Amino acid sequence: MKRALFPGSFDPLTLGHYDIIERGVPLFDEIIVAIGVNADKKYMFSIEERIKFIKDAFAHEPKVKVVSYEGLTVDFCKELGIEFILRGLRNPADFEFEKAIAHTNRDLAPIETVFLLTSASTSYIASSIVRDVIRNNGDYTKLVPDNVRVKK
């Protein structure tokens, strides 16, 4: 069974994330969306909210699972017996950053990183931009799946 881990903070899930997961579904038997928890980071959405956003967005897709984890992504992959990490690339800067992580992960474990280029229509979307739009009361709904909404 080909299983891939799609790691990130997903704070919040964006249309860019959604696109990568949707396009990854035909490539793998299972995609585990793994929300990394970093105690030093301040999140806009709770871990429970982020899990719910992803589960609700992919309720139609049984091949997509959602978990949270702490520590190194590569260690979590080894713990679950996962051989692939799925990552999206928006631009050349993403590629350089992700390439270094992929090489490091391969040095630490027999794990391959599979890169998918983001769709042109979502390549500008980043969670940090979405959070800024939300903080400034802008229309963030164009940047996230329909089920991702801020509680008022």
Side-chain angles (χ1 to χ4, degrees), residues 8-23:
S9 62
F10 305 101
D11 187 34
L13 176 71
T14 70
L15 289 176
H17 296 131
Y18 187 92
D19 173 63
I20 295 297
I21 296 165
E22 279 280 295
R23 290 176 36 230

Side-chain angles (χ1 to χ4, degrees), residues 7 10-11 15 17-18 40 44 46 50 53 55 63 91 94 99 119 125 133 145 147:
F10 305 101
D11 187 34
L15 289 176
H17 296 131
Y18 187 92
D40 296 331
M44 178 174 275
S46 71
R50 290 179 279 153
F53 289 155
K55 282 185 175 181
K63 290 169 70 173
N91 54 48
D94 277 358
K99 180 178 76 167
S119 296
I125 302 173
V133 171
N147 69 295

Side-chain angles (χ1 to χ4, degrees), residues 62-119:
K63 290 169 70 173
V64 175
K65 310 288 187 236
V66 186
V67 298
S68 64
Y69 74 102
E70 293 183 36
L72 292 176
T73 301
V74 71
D75 288 342
F76 191 59
C77 286
K78 288 192 294 190
E79 181 182 318
L80 297 179
I82 293 174
E83 299 172 319
F84 301 96
I85 294 175
L86 177 63
R87 298 298 294 158
L89 298 175
R90 293 173 298 198
N91 54 48
D94 277 358
F95 174 73
E96 290 301 324
F97 178 73
E98 294 290 345
K99 180 178 76 167
I101 294 171
H103 285 309
T104 302
N105 286 341
R106 197 174 318 129
D107 278 348
L108 297 174
I111 294 175
E112 284 297 331
T113 301
V114 176
F115 296 112
L116 292 180
L117 298 178
T118 57
S119 296

Side-chain angles (χ1 to χ4, degrees), residues 49-61:
E49 288 173 305
R50 290 179 279 153
I51 288 171
K52 184 170 176 19
F53 289 155
I54 298 165
K55 282 185 175 181
D56 289 351
F58 290 96
H60 67 283
E61 183 48 71

